[in-house]
Amino acid sequence: MMSTRLEPTQIGAPTGRLSDWAIAPMHFNGFAGLPTTKDLAVHSPEFSCFGHQWEVAMYPGGGGGVVDSEDGFVALWLVNKSAEAIGVHYKLVSKHPAGGQDIWGGSTSTMRQFSNMYSGNACFGHPNFARRSTLMNYLVDGTLIVEVHLRTNKPGQQSAPFVPENPFLRNAMLDFGDEETADVKLEVGAVQRSGRRKRGRTSTTTFHAHHFVLRRNAPALADMCTPGADSAPTTISNVRPEIFKHVLYYCYGG
């Protein structure tokens, strides 16, 4: 028994096809005045990236995670606030305003799986992101800027299904004017007026056509014709042959 193999269906995205980094700056204004009580968080507004809602939770006095912070350290956590899980590479970056060394933490080589917001693994971060005293040197007009860098696998792309080209129109054009396969003959010539009563006929031009093409695309013309190899030609007057040729060519898809 013969079997047919269908095109593969992609679920998710193949590994290695990563998006560009998306960067969302978080401005923690008045950083020096934020409370330093352990496990007391300052939450950013939610922001959108890769179809998910995110939040940055800062603990100026440390804490907020399973692993406790060391004294004097600020903790930073990135939280997935959506109902769907997602895998991302991420970085939390604080850049030195004078071009000094950046402070950052994250996962840039391992895809972190953020579960949905209702699960216990909806956040990743750093209980010891940096000493608070160090971050005081990173303020810009009193504001600590933390950049959230995110990237993920690009959406899976399925290859387009193979659809063979329909050759009908091309073949119909090849049959245009083919005397051997045609079953309709048309004698086309214009009538000229040379005076009030005198009339003269120009020489006619013979066209060969297929009745089924005329029936579908020029039914009035088809009704004038009798198909068959032995049928008498259909005479068409008052039309110049070069004009009629264009009309007939149009019937064949030209």
Side-chain angles (χ1 to χ4, degrees):
M1 179 179 293
M2 298 291 292
S3 60
T4 301
R5 182 176 293 275
L6 303 178
E7 291 293 321
T9 300
Q10 305 290 343
I11 295 89
T15 58
R17 299 171 59 193
L18 291 171
S19 68
D20 295 330
W21 286 103
I23 302 175
M26 302 288 116
H27 287 214
F28 290 90
N29 299 314
F31 174 78
L34 297 179
T36 56
T37 304
K38 182 166 286 191
D39 294 325
L40 183 60
V42 177
H43 297 275
S44 75
E46 293 185 11
F47 63 96
S48 179
C49 188
F50 299 125
H52 284 63
Q53 294 297 113
W54 302 88
E55 173 191 272
V56 174
M58 173 187 284
Y59 293 79
V66 177
V67 178
D68 200 6
S69 302
E70 298 179 15
D71 290 341
F73 276 81
V74 173
L76 274 179
W77 303 93
L78 178 62
V79 186
N80 175 26
K81 301 293 288 185
S82 295
E84 296 81 25
I86 185 174
V88 297
H89 290 172
Y90 80 96
K91 292 189 294 184
L92 302 174
V93 183
S94 183
K95 295 184 176 181
H96 196 284
Q101 185 176 3
D102 296 342
I103 299 174
W104 73 276
S107 177
T108 59
S109 58
T110 301
M111 188 74 67
R112 295 298 186 187
Q113 298 298 322
F114 285 73
S115 60
N116 62 61
M117 61 181 296
Y118 307 108
S119 302
N121 295 322
C123 67
F124 285 90
H126 308 278
N128 299 303
F129 177 72
R131 289 188 178 275
R132 184 174 182 276
S133 59
T134 301
L135 291 175
M136 295 294 290
N137 299 317
Y138 284 69
L139 304 185
V140 179
D141 296 330
T143 297
L144 179 65
I145 302 174
V146 177
E147 293 183 351
V148 181
H149 296 229
L150 291 167
R151 68 179 179 181
T152 187
N153 283 327
K154 294 180 179 179
Q157 299 178 351
Q158 298 188 27
S159 58
F162 172 71
V163 179
E165 180 184 0
N166 191 326
F168 177 81
L169 183 60
R170 182 177 65 251
N171 292 337
M173 296 288 290
L174 293 175
D175 274 343
F176 174 71
D178 187 356
E179 183 176 353
E180 292 185 3
T181 61
D183 57 355
V184 169
K185 182 184 295 185
L186 303 110
E187 298 286 349
V188 180
V191 173
Q192 294 179 331
R193 296 183 180 274
S194 56
R196 297 183 63 182
R197 295 183 179 182
K198 296 181 179 179
R199 305 173 66 189
R201 181 181 297 274
T202 63
S203 60
T204 61
T205 301
T206 301
F207 292 93
H208 298 87
H210 301 80
H211 193 264
F212 81 94
V213 174
L214 301 182
R215 187 174 69 250
R216 292 300 181 188
N217 301 307
L221 181 58
D223 290 343
M224 297 170 57
C225 304
T226 302
D230 299 328
S231 299
T234 299
T235 301
I236 299 178
S237 304
N238 296 322
V239 179
R240 296 201 304 270
E242 60 269 22
I243 298 299
F244 184 81
K245 181 178 181 180
H246 286 295
V247 175
L248 193 59
Y249 190 66
Y250 176 82
C251 294
Y252 280 77

